Amino acid sequence: MKKQCLLWTLSLVSPFCSLADEGMWMLPLLKQQRFAQMQALGLKLQDTDIYNPDSTSLKDAVVVFGGGCTGEIISPDGLVLTNHHCGYSQIQRHSSLEHDYLTDGYWAMTRDEELTNPGLSVTFIDRIEDVTTYVRDRLEKDDSTDTNFLSARYLNALAREKAGEQFLKDHPGTEVEIRPFYEGNQYWMFTKKRYSDVRLVGAPPSSIGKFGADTDNWMWPRHTGDFSLFRIYADADGNPAEYSPDNVPLRPKRWLRISTKGIEENDFAMMIGFPGRTNKYYTSWEVAERRDIDNDVRINIRNLRQEAMLEEMLRDPAVRIQYAGKYASSTNAYKNAIGTNRAIRERNFEQLKGEEQNKLIAWARQTNQPEYAESLRMLEQIVSDRRNLRFRNWMLDEALVRGIEFASIPTDIKPVVDALKGKDKEQQREQLRLLTLAWRRFFNASYAPEVDRKIAKIMLREYRRLVPAYDQPAYFALIDKKFKGDADRFIDYLFSTSIFGQSENFSAFLERPSARTLENDPMILFAQSVQDEKKALTTALAAFDADFTLERRTYVGGLLQMYGDQISFPDANSTIRLTYGQKKGYEPRDAVSYRSQTTLDGVMQKEDSTNWEFVVPDRLKELYHARDFGPYRMTDGQMPVAFSATTHTTGGNSGSPVLNAGGELIGINFDRNWEGVGGDIQYLPDYQRSIIVDIRYVLFLIDKYAGAGYLLDELDIAP
Ligand code: ARG
Ligand code: ASP
């Protein structure tokens, strides 16, 4: 097996024996799976320095930040470092025209100035246990129908049972969960502690933290200072507690030591974090499905929508602010889809996964286990059977559900209609009040009806061009019947007639509320029709899911059998993982070669005061021209900004601490290169790079730029 693996590695075709630097590894298995390779690349630590079930280790300094990012503890007083884009919504929520922290940045100059963030939490992982046998036994007892093996509800109930109610009561803030790995062939239990008093300490201006914005997003070379600082507070005993002025900074078990020495090209680097989702174990048919349906639909629809949105944003500064967030999140996934499809095509992912399937089929024949070939036949069949439904679902999602904002207007009007038909005036007033609130939530500060109207026309035209009439939401029949197929006139009609079409219409309705007006409101009927179609498609697709997940469990179970302990890492699922590699540039195209380190020179080269994406703040320019870089400069006198590494990362790894061979913090992960986003399906050693902000740039910005050097006193900076 080992020899075979080696051959495959050399020919770069096996997705299952890990290629150099590939992998998002489970901490408890690190020693047996990867430690030797890490040491060979230069790691100087013992495995127990990284992960130790019986004592503290580096793992204890890494946290889940908010919903989908990673953060790291960098001081004995609970300071947490993460990305600017991970703290973005918190920074935005504290911003107003008077205090525009998004534009100007924010720095608490004392602990009293740290800002509270309701809803934000930080989560530590206390224990990680293999519970495969426990879950299998229970599944056998509880579940003859095989529907529970991936169910979060079922698995988490098992986790609570295993931990015991008394244990959970005795440990406030502690939560347990069991997660499936390898499609339900393995299970791990995580004991976590969640802190919910997390305060904003500091953030650079967006012109630094988001420098390059959408143009530079997913791009190397990069010049973004993508970081922000928070602090965890706890009750007097160090336990998680809701916000209280009496809370005190958390005394963490572990915080990271910082190195300002940087690392050289080819030096070892690793990170621990919470990668969200990968699809390494896709079959060839799912690769094609992702490329030809999911990604192609997304690319086509978003391109049309973003073009129209940007036009409006450039025309009207108010719209630019209103749609900044929507535009950024739309292009983020759009650019990712383009990069992924390019990698799928150019690097033959379909063929690669197909070869793996064939290997399993050959092995299964030899070992007389027909179920594996059978599972592959079934998977191929299901992907083929669900093709049309999946296409309709993606078209509906991208063009109508996400594409048209008014598809999400309040549609739950039955209580209002009932009240208006009744005689109870009090009841009517109350229902109209609730409807008004729901309407305002929709018609909020970042909604521009004229932009929505313009985009809706484009979306509807494209949707009707690509989805046959008999597969469209029922209400759309009206477009042909009443508007001779003219979608633009139909949209104008919705806006002029609906109570939600314009503010005047809504005011007029409130003056003379009638049940009939509501029941016949065309925009509400439109939105309901889209929502009904969404429900129908979700139900129809779910009918395939049950068999699909079972067959996938069999397929991946076969790979586990075939490879034994040579099996590669399980797909990312937002659980804690380690990835390692080297600081390295790459060669994206013929005759083009990228180096692995960027500097402040590059920021100045990209400066464009007429383009909001590339404005450089005056203070930064002053420091640059004075070459006032303090102790953060490199040996050649340059100010470092970002570097690239071969580590294997995905969405969710943002904010992950990047550590040197001695386990010291040298950077914060924040992005990937465009050529490398296909790594969610297949790692490409020559191509894929993580993009990391250099910790020296972070310290320079805190100290020299923001004048918040007092914060450095609590850090552990290696001499
Ligand atoms: N591409 C990075 C990630 O997926 C950064 C996104 C934030 N920046 C942006 N322009 N949307 O999260
Ligand atoms: N930018 C991503 C994140 O926020 C990281 C990536 O996809 O590489 O997690």
Side-chain angles (χ1 to χ4, degrees):
M1 191 73 75
K2 270 220 171 83
K3 207 156 116 208
Q4 243 174 342
C5 255
L6 189 68
L7 281 176
W8 288 333
T9 309
L10 289 177
S11 64
L12 297 184
V13 290
S14 170
F16 298 94
C17 296
S18 307
L19 307 171
D21 304 345
E22 179 187 19
M24 303 170 178
W25 303 97
M26 298 291 293
L27 294 178
L29 301 179
L30 200 59
K31 183 167 188 193
Q32 88 196 55
Q33 292 184 319
R34 289 283 115 181
F35 203 63
Q37 287 89 333
M38 291 167 71
Q39 284 182 317
L41 279 181
L43 175 69
K44 291 205 211 76
L45 300 175
Q46 295 308 310
D47 59 294
T48 47
D49 296 329
I50 298 172
Y51 171 74
N52 187 342
D54 305 315
S55 172
T56 64
S57 56
L58 284 175
K59 150 203 143 249
D60 297 303
V62 186
V63 293
V64 181
F65 185 87
C69 278
T70 304
E72 51 274 6
I73 312 296
I74 53 164
S75 93
D77 284 349
L79 263 188
V80 183
L81 200 51
T82 187
N83 290 142
H84 186 264
H85 80 258
C86 294
Y88 198 72
S89 61
Q90 282 75 35
I91 305 167
Q92 180 175 4
R93 220 165 297 147
H94 290 296
S95 296
S96 61
L97 282 176
E98 298 81 55
H99 310 281
D100 188 351
Y101 303 144
L102 274 182
T103 304
D104 305 326
Y106 178 76
W107 291 94
M109 286 304 166
T110 65
R111 292 205 176 156
D112 288 342
E113 289 177 3
E114 295 174 356
L115 302 172
T116 60
N117 301 289
L120 177 63
S121 67
V122 149
T123 307
F124 291 84
I125 308 302
D126 282 341
R127 269 172 76 85
I128 311 172
E129 295 159 79
D130 184 346
V131 292
T132 307
T133 315
Y134 167 70
V135 175
R136 277 216 193 118
D137 289 351
R138 285 300 300 265
L139 275 172
E140 220 159 275
K141 265 193 230 132
D142 296 349
D143 188 27
S144 49
T145 54
D146 262 340
T147 51
N148 280 332
F149 74 102
L150 295 179
S151 151
R153 241 178 90 203
Y154 174 80
L155 294 172
N156 291 341
L158 285 193
R160 281 191 300 278
E161 215 177 285
K162 188 162 178 14
E165 292 306 327
Q166 194 55 45
F167 170 84
L168 293 172
K169 225 181 269 154
D170 293 345
H171 296 81
T174 293
E175 295 164 10
V176 288
E177 69 173 9
I178 290 177
R179 303 295 308 274
F181 291 74
Y182 296 110
E183 322 295 318
N185 283 283
Q186 273 183 15
Y187 294 93
W188 291 82
M189 176 155 146
F190 299 85
T191 308
K192 317 174 175 193
K193 206 169 205 179
R194 182 196 300 272
Y195 288 85
S196 49
D197 185 353
V198 183
R199 304 186 194 170
L200 174 63
V201 176
S206 294
S207 53
I208 290 173
K210 199 181 157 73
F211 182 74
D214 303 307
T215 301
D216 268 12
N217 190 26
W218 300 119
M219 292 296 198
W220 183 258
R222 191 63 155 275
H223 298 88
T224 312
D226 196 343
F227 80 99
S228 59
L229 259 181
F230 288 78
R231 192 187 303 280
I232 309 171
Y233 282 77
D235 70 13
D237 303 322
N239 286 319
E242 284 309 309
Y243 167 79
S244 153
D246 300 331
N247 284 351
V248 293
L250 175 73
R251 303 252 149 220
K253 280 194 265 189
R254 184 70 190 254
W255 55 95
L256 297 177
R257 171 173 253 213
I258 296 171
S259 165
T260 55
K261 293 209 175 65
I263 58 171
E264 300 299 318
E265 181 91 11
N266 294 321
D267 278 354
F268 176 88
M270 64 178 175
M271 54 178 116
I272 303 174
F274 295 86
R277 196 191 152 103
T278 56
N279 304 99
K280 180 183 172 62
Y281 297 100
Y282 261 169
T283 57
S284 57
W285 307 293
E286 291 161 279
V287 171
E289 179 182 59
R290 169 91 164 256
R291 177 192 62 207
D292 300 337
I293 299 180
D294 313 7
N295 287 348
D296 269 356
V297 168
R298 169 163 286 175
I299 293 164
N300 175 39
I301 298 294
R302 290 195 182 204
N303 179 43
L304 293 171
R305 178 164 177 258
Q306 286 159 196
E307 227 169 59
M309 200 186 283
L310 188 63
E311 206 176 280
E312 293 305 303
M313 288 166 75
L314 293 175
R315 204 199 319 272
D316 182 348
V319 172
R320 184 174 64 65
I321 294 170
Q322 286 177 309
Y323 281 74
K326 292 172 200 171
Y327 187 79
S329 73
S330 181
T331 56
N332 195 41
Y334 163 78
K335 256 180 137 167
N336 185 303
I338 296 175
T340 300
N341 268 11
R342 205 178 285 163
I344 289 175
R345 291 200 172 95
E346 286 173 13
R347 307 300 290 263
N348 304 323
F349 285 4
E350 216 186 331
Q351 182 194 335
L352 229 53
K353 303 297 181 193
E355 282 164 12
E356 197 59 35
Q357 287 152 212
N358 291 340
K359 231 172 265 160
L360 182 70
I361 290 170
W363 172 81
R365 197 178 298 128
Q366 271 168 23
T367 53
N368 206 8
Q369 303 182 83
E371 67 268 32
Y372 297 128
E374 182 54 28
S375 74
L376 281 165
R377 258 193 302 282
M378 290 291 291
L379 287 170
E380 181 179 17
Q381 189 62 48
I382 294 171
V383 170
S384 156
D385 289 349
R386 74 183 181 187
R387 181 178 300 141
N388 187 45
L389 282 171
R390 194 172 177 102
F391 174 74
R392 283 169 61 190
N393 193 47
W394 271 86
M395 282 298 298
L396 190 80
D397 270 345
E398 289 288 318
L400 306 182
V401 177
R402 291 202 191 91
I404 299 182
E405 291 178 83
F406 68 73
S408 314
I409 50 169
T411 50
D412 184 20
I413 51 164
K414 187 162 183 311
V416 198
V417 169
D418 288 349
L420 290 175
K421 284 183 177 165
K423 296 219 164 58
D424 187 339
K425 291 280 167 209
E426 194 46 47
Q427 184 66 16
Q428 293 183 358
R429 256 196 301 279
E430 175 59 9
Q431 284 304 327
L432 288 171
R433 189 184 70 83
L434 291 175
L435 183 70
T436 309
L437 282 180
W439 153 242
R440 289 219 187 100
R441 260 198 304 279
F442 169 75
F443 206 111
N444 59 24
S446 58
Y447 181 67
E450 286 316 307
V451 176
D452 197 19
R453 181 201 294 244
K454 173 175 167 166
I455 291 175
K457 288 177 180 172
I458 298 168
M459 294 290 94
L460 190 58
R461 255 185 265 139
E462 188 67 357
Y463 178 81
R464 284 170 46 85
R465 187 175 78 81
L466 293 173
V467 177
Y470 51 82
D471 275 343
Q472 296 178 16
Y475 188 62
F476 289 16
L478 194 68
I479 304 173
D480 288 322
K481 251 198 275 158
K482 213 169 145 181
F483 297 91
K484 299 206 177 72
D486 187 339
D488 288 14
R489 267 181 53 220
F490 170 71
I491 296 286
D492 286 333
Y493 160 75
L494 299 188
F495 273 91
S496 61
T497 326
S498 169
I499 65 164
F500 294 139
Q502 36 203 333
S503 301
E504 299 80 57
N505 295 5
F506 195 72
S507 310
F509 168 73
L510 285 183
E511 262 161 44
R512 242 181 249 261
S514 103
R516 263 197 48 173
T517 310
L518 266 188
E519 283 174 316
N520 296 322
D521 188 289
M523 199 180 262
I524 297 176
L525 290 171
F526 173 93
Q528 279 170 343
S529 194
V530 169
Q531 288 161 15
D532 289 347
E533 176 72 359
K534 178 70 202 167
K535 255 183 241 138
L537 286 176
T538 306
T539 309
L541 280 163
F544 291 101
D545 287 348
D547 283 340
F548 194 71
T549 51
L550 279 170
E551 299 303 340
R552 281 193 56 84
R553 179 173 70 175
T554 304
Y555 170 55
V556 175
L559 294 172
L560 273 162
Q561 281 250 0
M562 179 169 77
Y563 286 115
D565 58 9
Q566 290 297 305
I567 188 76
S568 196
F569 65 100
D571 265 320
N573 57 358
S574 299
T575 58
I576 191 164
R577 305 292 177 95
L578 179 141
T579 170
Y580 65 90
Q582 293 164 289
K583 181 181 180 188
K584 236 193 219 327
Y586 65 105
E587 298 183 356
R589 300 179 288 286
D590 184 36
V592 178
S593 165
Y594 288 147
R595 289 209 300 254
S596 60
Q597 178 81 47
T598 63
T599 69
L600 207 51
D601 280 355
V603 174
M604 297 307 298
Q605 286 160 9
K606 282 180 178 171
E607 186 200 8
D608 179 356
S609 60
T610 67
N611 177 353
W612 67 275
E613 295 190 299
F614 293 98
V615 170
V616 178
D618 290 338
R619 171 97 191 111
L620 189 57
K621 284 194 267 191
E622 280 163 30
L623 291 165
Y624 174 75
H625 291 302
R627 303 200 75 73
D628 187 1
F629 304 150
Y632 312 112
R633 59 161 51 88
M634 301 191 291
T635 42
D636 64 2
Q638 300 263 71
M639 184 63 223
V641 171
F643 65 93
S644 59
T646 60
T647 38
H648 191 183
T649 48
T650 188
N653 269 121
S654 273
S656 297
V658 181
L659 309 168
N660 64 15
E664 296 163 331
L665 185 67
I666 51 171
I668 316 166
N669 182 66
F670 71 97
D671 207 7
R672 254 175 305 158
N673 59 335
W674 208 2
E675 296 86 354
V677 293
D680 288 353
I681 300 172
Q682 180 59 55
Y683 181 82
L684 301 169
D686 56 333
Y687 235 26
Q688 169 160 2
R689 298 294 177 263
S690 304
I691 299 180
I692 297 154
V693 54
D694 197 303
I695 200 68
R696 293 169 292 186
Y697 191 45
V698 173
L699 298 176
F700 161 80
L701 290 167
I702 296 174
D703 184 359
K704 295 280 179 178
Y705 179 86
Y710 82 94
L711 284 168
L712 304 189
D713 296 341
E714 60 181 289
L715 306 185
D716 179 5
I717 301 179

